[in-house]
Amino acid sequence: MFENIVLKFGFLLFIFSLCGNCFATVNNSLILWQEYISLRDCVYNNISNVSNLLEMYNKAVKVAYDIFSDDKLLIALSRCEFIMGRAYLFENDKQNAAKHFISGAEYAQKSLEIKDSGMGILMYAENISQNCLLQPMTYVIKYGSKIKGLAKEALQKEPSSGAALFLMNAQLIYAPAPFSNYKKGIKELEKILTLENIWLEKDDLFNILSTLGLGYLELNDKENALAYFNYALELYPGNIHIRKIVEENFSI
């Protein structure tokens, strides 16, 4: 299994390196555009601090208004809010992170009022999932239990969504005991990497690889943990979060 995953990952990384900005085209389902991709990659690669990212965020929002309309525009805005929430979360600015995740969820909900789409459901689920890290337990109880069901619903509408598959299973690793199940979580996430006809954006692949690293680390399987962390860092070499985990847990 692991050898097959290595081959699949190598192929995906090769495609990313060859295509460069080929994923930056407007896609009717995924809602991607160059300014968003540039912002996303700077966030995950920790190239700029959050104050410098604001200019990129504002540009991505402006271009979204120029090229999208109706539900697609709202999904695009939800994506911008989500990635800025992640940027603030990486800097431990919980207040501003929560504001963006709340806005992102609201944009996604409004998109669903126009069209019941898999991407709209996914963005709603992703924003509330991240917001569960920041809100009181009453919010977590109300919304946390909905995430897996929303991810399943998104997957029914978009069967090729690797992000939805990840969201369905990531809680098996991130959930606190006794709700976590590292072995099952690893099995399900590794399965995603072997599936055909699954769309993984660059950050989706990074999220899967780094989460697998965390799962193996929890099982004290440092060999596989380090392998997955290194694969993740091939995508975003500057990611401070994963670099810190590697420095703290491995003698290299």
Side-chain angles (χ1 to χ4, degrees), residues 5-240:
I5 291 167
V6 171
L7 290 172
K8 178 71 177 290
F9 168 73
F11 174 74
L12 286 168
L13 186 61
F14 175 69
I15 292 299
F16 279 122
S17 65
L18 273 185
C19 293
N21 292 329
C22 75
F23 294 103
T25 55
V26 175
N27 183 293
N28 288 334
S29 173
L30 294 166
I31 320 297
L32 285 174
W33 68 110
Q34 179 58 57
E35 289 73 16
Y36 164 77
I37 292 174
S38 297
L39 171 63
R40 178 201 69 191
D41 288 350
C42 279
V43 169
Y44 274 87
N45 218 16
N46 298 110
I47 292 173
S48 301
N49 62 39
V50 74
S51 59
N52 292 332
L53 288 169
L54 286 173
E55 183 177 349
M56 297 182 71
Y57 159 79
N58 289 328
K59 184 177 180 181
V61 169
K62 180 181 182 301
V63 173
Y65 274 101
D66 292 337
I67 62 178
F68 297 112
S69 61
D70 301 324
D71 62 302
K72 293 182 177 63
L73 171 60
L74 292 165
I75 290 171
L77 296 176
S78 179
R79 301 204 80 177
C80 290
E81 296 304 309
F82 175 78
I83 204 63
M84 279 305 293
R86 294 280 283 175
Y88 280 111
L89 192 58
F90 289 156
E91 293 204 350
N92 205 34
D93 185 340
K94 296 181 180 180
Q95 184 175 1
N96 278 313
K99 288 179 182 178
H100 282 283
F101 292 136
I102 291 169
S103 294
E106 289 173 349
Y107 280 129
Q109 279 185 305
K110 289 177 182 177
S111 80
L112 293 170
E113 293 171 5
I114 299 173
K115 182 179 178 181
D116 188 17
S117 69
M119 193 63 187
I121 296 168
L122 177 64
M123 288 315 304
Y124 176 66
E126 287 196 325
N127 276 285
I128 65 172
S129 174
Q130 290 296 299
N131 210 20
C132 282
L133 302 173
L134 304 169
Q135 298 298 328
M137 187 55 65
T138 51
Y139 181 97
V140 177
I141 292 171
K142 182 177 179 179
Y143 292 102
S145 60
K146 298 180 180 180
I147 293 168
K148 186 173 182 178
L150 288 166
K152 285 183 177 180
E153 189 178 348
L155 193 63
Q156 288 173 350
K157 295 181 180 297
E158 295 285 350
S160 65
S161 175
L165 278 169
F166 170 73
L167 195 59
M168 280 175 56
N169 295 291
Q171 293 179 81
L172 291 167
I173 290 175
Y174 286 115
F179 305 106
S180 55
N181 187 332
Y182 302 121
K183 290 183 178 179
K184 184 178 180 181
I186 287 169
K187 179 181 178 181
E188 294 301 322
L189 292 182
E190 286 186 334
K191 189 188 298 182
I192 298 172
L193 297 177
T194 68
L195 294 174
E196 302 296 332
N197 302 316
I198 292 294
W199 177 273
L200 290 170
E201 295 179 42
K202 187 176 180 181
D203 57 323
D204 296 329
L205 183 56
F206 175 87
N207 290 335
I208 292 172
L209 294 168
S210 56
T211 302
L212 281 165
L214 291 170
Y216 274 114
L217 190 60
E218 290 289 345
L219 295 177
N220 203 33
D221 183 344
K222 290 198 170 185
E223 182 179 358
N224 278 322
L226 182 59
Y228 277 118
F229 287 139
N230 283 336
Y231 292 152
L233 289 171
E234 286 189 47
L235 291 168
Y236 291 119
N239 189 272
I240 294 172

